[in-house]
Amino acid sequence: MRLSIASGVATGAVAIALYPLFQGGAWFWSSLGVILVVAGIGVLAGHYTLPGWLAPPAQVLGVWIYLTAVFAGDEAWARVVPTWDSVARLDRLLTTGFADIQRFAAPVPDSTGIVLLTCGGVGLIAVLVDLLAARLRKAALTGLPLLALFVVPAAVIAEPISWPAFIIGALGYLGILVADGRERVSHWGRAVLVRRTSSFTVTRPAPSDSGALRLSGKRIGFTAIVLAVLLPALLPTMEPNPLFGFGVGNGRGGGNSISIPNPMVNLRGQLSLPENSTVLTYKASDSTPRYLRMYSLDIFDGEQWTMSEPRGRPEDRTSDAPMPLPPGQGAGVPVTPANLTVTVSDQVRRLSFLPLPYPVSKVTVAGDWRPDRDTLMVFSTRNTAGGLTYQAVTAEPEPTADRLKAAAPPATAIRERYLTLPEDLPDEIRRLALQETERGSSPYEQAIQLQEFFTESGGFTYSLATQGHDGPALTDFLIRNRTGYCEQFAASMAVLARVLGIPSRVAIGYTGGSVTSGGWQVRTHDSHAWPELYFEGTGWLRFEPTPAGGAGQGSATVPSYTLPEVAPDTPDEPSAAPSSDPTGSDSPIGPANDRRNEMLDREFGGALTPVDEGMPPAGRIGIGVAIALLVALIPALIRWQLRVRRSRSYSRRAGNPAGGDPAAPDPGGTASPTGVRAGTREPAVTVAWTELDDALCDYGMSRQASESPRALAGRLAEQYVFEPETAAALARIAAAVERTLYARTPGEIATLREDMRSVRRALAATTTRGRRIRAVLLPPSTLLRMRALGGRVLDGFDRLENIRLRRPARKGA
């Protein structure tokens, strides 16, 4: 019975680790119910001593009945007994659950099918754990199915499992081992004590003493759990990640820095480079050109657009796992799949971001490359893209206008990050956004109206002869001259979209380039900036406000989903040949010769920017050492605080004006090893005596249990040859204690602070330096109290284990 209960508790404790996988709590209560069913059947099987082989089938049958009652009760007979209809209902739910798991990323919604799958899996784990522990008596092997349940969230979610969930699960497994140990010890039998007399022999059984064994086992188990949680904090970051949130491998890398450019700095100067050198070439399986994005800028401070620090976890490396799912993209969105093979020119220097279409589901590239989960930018802190050849699998969304019009409001996290605007944004820009869009139209329709404003109705002109990208230049571009290049068009549309409540960001990369005999060629003049707007259920979509063709960005294209519903039969096609006119293109880098290589090295005028990949190993080691020192100093801090509090107490004069029993204990008093309680009616004396007793313990001096205060004072003064003043101070303390303990009226007692200080100094002077250091850093008196407290905690667990459910005794006839 005990093992069945412990098995159920352990399964429930480990199942708590599944919480990050779900959005709601329905899975937990359903799983708790199935665990209770399995544990209850196990308890009944043990109580009625049924054959061991019969319990597991009975538990499986109980799980089936429970699942039928909870998930298919309408089709079952009496809502409990399974029928063909209920079996069919469960089968349909299981199929739906498997499909939902493939569709959604964690945390998944707690749909009926997913909850059924979870509940059934937890139930089978509970049956297996009970079989190993209670039927086969292999308690240690229960760690295997429990570990299988525990590893599910560790394998699915990117974030580490929290340490409370780890501790709860470990305690559950430890409970099975303890219960099994108690069962085994109880089967050893009892010792028989034999006492012989001259006439007869008396034998009586002695109770089995398993308390020491249980206590040692619990201490080992608790110590192992504490070390498993705290010890990794002292170690440097390693890979792969641990199962919980700190310790070995918790960082996101080595705290490196990569050259992250500011893509908006000196862009006009880079666009005017005379050389139109090849940056990369690529082949697409569908022979269709695609925009290749490198940077995603999400912060607008009123002066310029910049990017948040990218974050890449070790387990997200492109060589180890597929790319994260595109944020906000749901099921049912039409996509255009394709496979790309990209080759970056070896003339490109210090490029730490891969040019990729958005979104990509898989990237195959040599080196340590990692995606940023929020933006899907792929970067490396150790490798560069120059000379690389890599493959990418993409599925670009091609949503319908109806779907975008019906898009739900964006999630809170998206709004908070991608709708932020400076408070001092000019009112004329806000008014412009409202003037150029129709009231009452959907966000998608407003986005189309903004794009048409830049490309058709607004009277904008593409030109490199601009004055920059800061706030005043943005106002001049939108309100006054309306002349600029791709940077101004992209930045302006993103700002106006945020004014209208449409989440937006600015992408920097390349257009699709020009077609060649072997695929597509991307040159420096194909460098480009464009806005990306977010629509719930579809995700991030590219828009194109920059004019295309010979009068604008030559190879720019307008996405099909951004065209008006009544559109020309054929959209603008990309230019079939590269243009050598620097004013008709948009190029941030150019590597043809040595001067061009210098421009590539500058990467848009960028600078070294730290990438948040976690704390460096040295920092983690330092924090771990600091935490270890603080933990080690806990006894010293407790002892110091206790001394200060006691000193304030025995600095006051003591008396007993109320009369009565002077040694009557206070309910909140603290027992002293001398037998005097620190919370009695004479705290000034009893606290001083308790402090003296602790000082003797800290300095390794013995005190006989039968010694009176006066005898102890005399022995210490004689043994350690105290000065007369110190001996007198010790005698006064002993006399005050005896008066408090034995006198009918102790009377007024002078303060003992100076006497205690004198005695402590004398005791410290008689010991070695090492003993004095230990008395300060690891005071034995405090350690003994902490050990006693731990023993009381374990005793509390013993009392919980000793609780037994007994049937009421039958009354006699």
Side-chain angles (χ1 to χ4, degrees):
M1 293 176 58
R2 181 186 294 116
L3 285 172
S4 294
I5 295 175
S7 299
V9 171
T11 305
V14 175
I16 292 176
L18 298 176
Y19 77 92
L21 301 178
F22 303 93
Q23 294 180 358
W27 70 272
F28 176 77
W29 300 111
S30 300
S31 300
L32 181 61
V34 78
I35 292 173
L36 292 177
V37 169
V38 173
I41 295 175
V43 169
L44 292 176
H47 179 75
Y48 291 105
T49 62
L50 297 179
W53 61 268
L54 186 59
Q59 290 171 329
V60 172
L61 179 61
V63 171
W64 184 15
I65 294 175
Y66 173 82
L67 296 179
T68 300
V70 174
F71 298 97
D74 295 338
E75 286 80 8
W77 184 72
R79 299 192 60 86
V80 175
V81 180
T83 62
W84 287 112
D85 292 337
S86 67
V87 172
R89 169 67 174 169
L90 292 179
D91 180 68
R92 290 194 300 270
L93 289 177
L94 288 175
T95 303
T96 304
F98 277 112
D100 289 343
I101 289 177
Q102 301 300 322
R103 290 173 52 203
F104 298 106
V108 299
D110 51 356
S111 63
T112 305
I114 293 178
V115 173
L116 172 61
L117 278 174
T118 306
C119 189
V122 172
L124 293 179
I125 293 292
V127 172
L128 186 56
V129 171
D130 184 83
L131 172 64
L132 293 174
R135 315 305 156 196
L136 302 180
R137 303 305 301 273
K138 303 292 184 181
L141 292 181
T142 59
L144 296 178
L146 292 176
L147 182 62
L149 185 62
F150 190 78
V151 165
V152 171
V156 172
I157 61 175
E159 296 300 323
I161 296 175
S162 63
W163 62 265
F166 167 78
I167 292 177
I168 293 173
L171 289 176
Y173 178 62
L174 182 61
I176 293 182
L177 299 181
V178 171
D180 181 70
R182 293 192 62 180
E183 289 284 339
R184 294 181 182 276
V185 171
S186 65
H187 292 168
W188 291 351
R190 296 183 176 183
V192 177
L193 303 180
V194 180
R195 183 175 62 187
R196 300 183 181 275
T197 63
S198 57
S199 57
F200 59 88
T201 300
V202 178
T203 62
R204 63 181 178 87
S208 60
D209 185 15
S210 61
L213 293 175
R214 293 198 309 271
L215 186 62
S216 298
K218 291 175 187 175
R219 287 174 178 169
I220 293 173
F222 282 112
T223 302
I225 293 174
V226 172
L227 291 178
V229 175
L230 296 182
L231 185 59
L234 305 177
L235 302 178
T237 299
M238 299 179 184
E239 298 175 0
N241 252 8
L243 294 181
F244 36 88
F246 54 93
V248 179
N250 183 49
R252 294 183 175 90
N256 300 319
S257 295
I258 63 176
S259 179
I260 300 180
N262 182 343
M264 297 298 191
V265 174
N266 295 329
L267 184 56
R268 182 174 62 88
Q270 302 291 343
L271 292 172
S272 301
L273 292 175
E275 297 292 337
N276 190 22
S277 303
T278 299
V279 177
L280 59 90
T281 59
Y282 68 94
K283 297 179 181 179
S285 60
D286 58 355
S287 301
T288 301
R290 282 174 170 80
Y291 278 41
L292 303 177
R293 190 197 63 170
M294 291 188 298
Y295 313 112
S296 180
L297 315 183
D298 59 330
I299 300 174
F300 180 67
D301 59 4
E303 295 292 329
Q304 61 181 350
W305 284 87
T306 56
M307 72 170 70
S308 300
E309 294 178 358
R311 298 171 180 266
R313 297 180 60 84
E315 66 270 21
D316 289 340
R317 288 182 299 191
T318 57
S319 58
D320 298 336
M323 293 283 290
L325 294 177
Q329 183 170 321
V333 179
V335 297
T336 303
N339 297 326
L340 275 71
T341 300
V342 184
T343 300
V344 181
S345 171
D346 55 8
Q347 296 293 320
V348 176
R349 299 287 184 263
R350 296 177 58 189
L351 180 60
S352 301
F353 289 74
L354 293 182
L356 291 167
Y358 182 90
V360 289
S361 57
K362 184 178 180 180
V363 177
T364 304
V365 59
D368 185 359
W369 295 86
R370 307 175 187 180
D372 176 72
R373 284 187 162 268
D374 294 330
T375 62
L376 301 189
M377 295 185 299
V378 177
F379 65 96
S380 176
T381 60
R382 299 179 176 90
N383 307 105
T384 58
L388 277 182
T389 297
Y390 53 93
Q391 290 77 38
V393 179
T394 181
E396 297 181 26
E398 295 288 344
T400 62
D402 292 338
R403 181 185 182 92
L404 294 177
K405 290 178 183 179
T412 303
I414 295 292
R415 293 198 305 268
E416 291 177 350
R417 178 172 179 179
Y418 296 101
L419 287 180
T420 303
L421 288 171
E423 295 181 359
D424 58 349
L425 184 70
D427 292 337
E428 50 192 351
I429 293 181
R430 297 182 185 272
R431 289 193 299 268
L432 178 65
L434 299 175
Q435 291 171 2
E436 297 301 328
T437 56
E438 298 177 2
R439 297 184 181 273
S441 56
S442 66
Y444 164 71
E445 293 170 311
Q446 291 178 326
I448 296 298
Q449 293 162 11
L450 286 181
Q451 180 172 281
E452 293 176 351
F453 168 66
F454 287 102
T455 58
E456 298 179 11
S457 63
F460 287 87
T461 303
Y462 184 92
S463 173
L464 297 179
T466 59
Q467 298 301 319
H469 60 276
D470 58 4
L474 182 63
T475 303
D476 290 339
F477 172 75
L478 281 174
I479 306 300
R480 300 177 181 88
N481 56 44
R482 297 193 174 181
T483 300
Y485 52 97
C486 61
E487 176 204 334
Q488 279 78 27
F489 285 91
S492 300
M493 182 170 176
V495 170
L496 296 181
R498 289 194 176 187
V499 171
L500 297 173
I502 307 174
S504 63
R505 62 193 186 190
V506 175
I508 302 291
Y510 302 95
T511 61
S514 56
V515 64
T516 64
S517 59
W520 297 87
Q521 184 180 47
V522 176
R523 298 172 176 265
T524 54
H525 291 180
D526 295 317
S527 299
H528 192 46
W530 64 91
E532 291 180 334
L533 275 57
Y534 180 88
F535 299 92
E536 189 68 27
T538 302
W540 292 97
L541 293 176
R542 173 178 69 89
F543 283 74
E544 188 50 87
T546 304
Q553 168 63 18
S555 54
T557 58
V558 178
S560 59
Y561 50 80
T562 68
L563 296 174
E565 294 184 75
V566 180
D569 294 337
T570 57
D572 292 336
E573 294 294 333
S575 176
S579 171
S580 61
D581 182 8
T583 62
S585 54
D586 202 8
S587 106
I589 50 180
N593 48 37
D594 293 340
R595 186 168 64 89
R596 299 289 78 76
N597 291 339
E598 293 177 2
M599 293 300 181
L600 274 174
D601 292 343
R602 290 172 59 186
E603 288 189 33
F604 305 91
L608 287 176
T609 303
V611 178
D612 184 4
E613 284 200 314
M615 188 175 297
R620 295 185 59 80
I621 294 176
I623 292 179
V625 171
I627 293 175
L629 290 177
L630 289 177
V631 172
L633 289 176
I634 287 177
L637 295 175
I638 295 176
R639 182 73 178 96
W640 172 80
Q641 190 271 341
L642 197 59
R643 282 183 56 189
V644 171
R645 183 165 56 87
R646 288 173 175 173
S647 176
R648 294 172 181 171
S649 178
Y650 56 67
S651 296
R652 300 187 297 268
R653 289 178 175 270
N656 188 24
D661 183 8
D666 182 81
T670 304
S672 166
T674 61
V676 181
R677 299 185 66 86
T680 63
R681 294 181 182 177
E682 298 294 340
V685 176
T686 55
V687 170
W689 185 252
T690 304
E691 174 62 26
L692 177 61
D693 187 67
D694 285 350
L696 293 174
C697 180
D698 292 341
Y699 294 128
M701 300 177 182
S702 62
R703 177 180 62 80
Q704 302 298 326
S706 60
E707 276 185 320
S708 65
R710 182 178 304 179
L712 176 63
R715 182 177 64 82
L716 292 176
E718 180 179 356
Q719 181 178 354
Y720 297 107
V721 193
F722 287 164
E723 296 292 335
E725 296 81 2
T726 305
L730 184 58
R732 286 193 294 270
I733 296 173
V737 173
E738 289 184 341
R739 288 166 56 188
T740 301
L741 289 174
Y742 309 118
R744 181 182 297 275
T745 303
E748 186 175 353
I749 301 174
T751 60
L752 303 176
R753 180 175 183 178
E754 294 300 327
D755 291 341
M756 282 297 306
R757 181 178 299 175
S758 176
V759 172
R760 279 189 59 86
R761 290 176 179 174
L763 293 176
T766 61
T767 61
T768 63
R769 178 179 298 177
R771 173 69 69 174
R772 292 195 296 270
I773 294 175
R774 181 188 176 188
V776 174
L777 299 180
L778 293 173
S781 60
T782 304
L783 296 178
L784 289 175
R785 284 187 171 86
M786 295 175 67
R787 179 180 178 183
L789 177 61
R792 289 195 293 272
V793 172
L794 296 178
D795 289 341
F797 283 104
D798 279 338
R799 295 188 184 96
L800 294 177
E801 292 177 3
N802 291 330
I803 296 177
R804 288 176 171 79
L805 299 177
R806 300 181 182 275
R807 292 180 297 177
R810 296 182 179 178
K811 296 182 179 180

